Amino acid sequence: MAGVSRDRSLGDGVYFAPEDYLSFCRRLVITLVDVTMLLLLWIPIGVIFTFVSYNYVFTPDLVWYFCCWCYLAVLRPSRVRSVGYWVTGARIITLRGTKPSVWRMTYRVLLNFYSPLNLVYDLLWVGVDRDRQSLTDRFAGTCVVRKRAEPVGRAEIHYTYYTGMSFLYFYPCVVLPRETEKLVEVELASST
């Protein structure tokens, strides 16, 4: 039809070469290392609160949740990064290629802690996703790539939907141009 324009309301995003997205194994290492770090953080908090009397406003659980939030929402997207990201050489960015805000990362943390998507299902999604991103990344509009990765191009961001395990998932995604899709399919076919 003449005069019909495409919806570009979500703007443009960046995409990377397939090898720049982290594999399932690296994502598993990130999860194991960061969960271990958060559990080890509980030890000094528990020790401090056993020797210090406290009121019911600042409980050990509340302090630990705050430390978890600082570690996962503030430290992860910073230059320092979390220990899991540091060990695997990863960084987190938005679909537009910028550093995620604290609000976006807080939303991502809340998805990890309080959503019906459990950690195993979220990690398994990495193995079937085209860009090797978890559902938490997809819903939060973030992307985990190698630290030194540079975008290979820009493309439009559109809403994408998938049906899996009787759920309908609806999230923003960078839609690759047709020529790039063909190159990615050829690279994936040659690597198998």
Side-chain angles (χ1 to χ4, degrees), residues 1-182:
M1 271 195 258
V4 175
S5 63
R6 292 175 52 120
D7 178 24
R8 297 183 52 94
S9 61
L10 296 178
D12 286 342
V14 295
Y15 60 92
F16 296 85
E19 62 272 4
D20 287 336
Y21 296 104
L22 294 187
S23 66
F24 172 79
C25 293
R26 284 183 183 242
R27 296 294 290 259
L28 185 62
V29 169
I30 289 172
T31 301
L32 293 175
V33 169
D34 284 345
V35 165
T36 303
M37 292 303 297
L38 291 173
L39 291 176
L40 288 175
L41 183 64
W42 178 254
I43 295 170
I45 293 171
V47 168
I48 289 171
F49 276 96
T50 55
F51 295 114
V52 175
S53 63
Y54 60 91
N55 57 15
Y56 289 102
V57 176
F58 293 108
T59 63
D61 293 341
L62 183 65
V63 171
W64 186 69
Y65 285 139
F66 177 74
C67 291
C68 288
W69 174 80
C70 287
Y71 184 78
L72 297 173
V74 178
L75 189 67
R76 253 188 184 176
S78 70
R79 287 180 185 243
V80 177
R81 299 173 296 154
S82 70
V83 177
Y85 280 24
W86 184 77
V87 166
T88 59
R91 68 182 168 126
I92 189 166
I93 58 171
T94 64
L95 292 179
R96 289 180 175 73
T98 60
K99 182 181 121 180
S101 67
V102 172
W103 293 109
R104 185 180 299 264
M105 291 301 291
T106 300
Y107 174 64
R108 188 174 185 270
V109 169
L110 290 174
L111 283 173
N112 278 329
F113 280 124
Y114 299 111
S115 74
L117 308 171
N118 65 21
L119 191 59
V120 174
Y121 185 61
D122 201 34
L123 279 174
L124 288 176
W125 190 268
V126 172
V128 298
D129 190 73
R130 178 195 76 203
D131 297 331
R132 296 187 218 149
Q133 300 305 309
S134 66
L135 279 174
T136 303
D137 289 324
R138 290 299 192 181
F139 290 137
T142 57
C143 186
V144 180
V145 294
R146 294 182 189 269
K147 182 183 177 197
R148 304 267 185 231
E150 292 295 325
V152 294
R154 298 188 65 78
E156 295 176 10
I157 299 174
H158 290 283
Y159 281 109
T160 305
Y161 66 92
Y162 290 99
T163 304
M165 295 184 66
S166 72
F167 290 105
L168 179 63
Y169 301 111
F170 187 69
Y171 51 77
C173 181
V174 177
V175 179
L176 297 177
R178 294 287 180 201
E179 300 81 34
T180 307
E181 286 178 359
K182 290 177 186 173

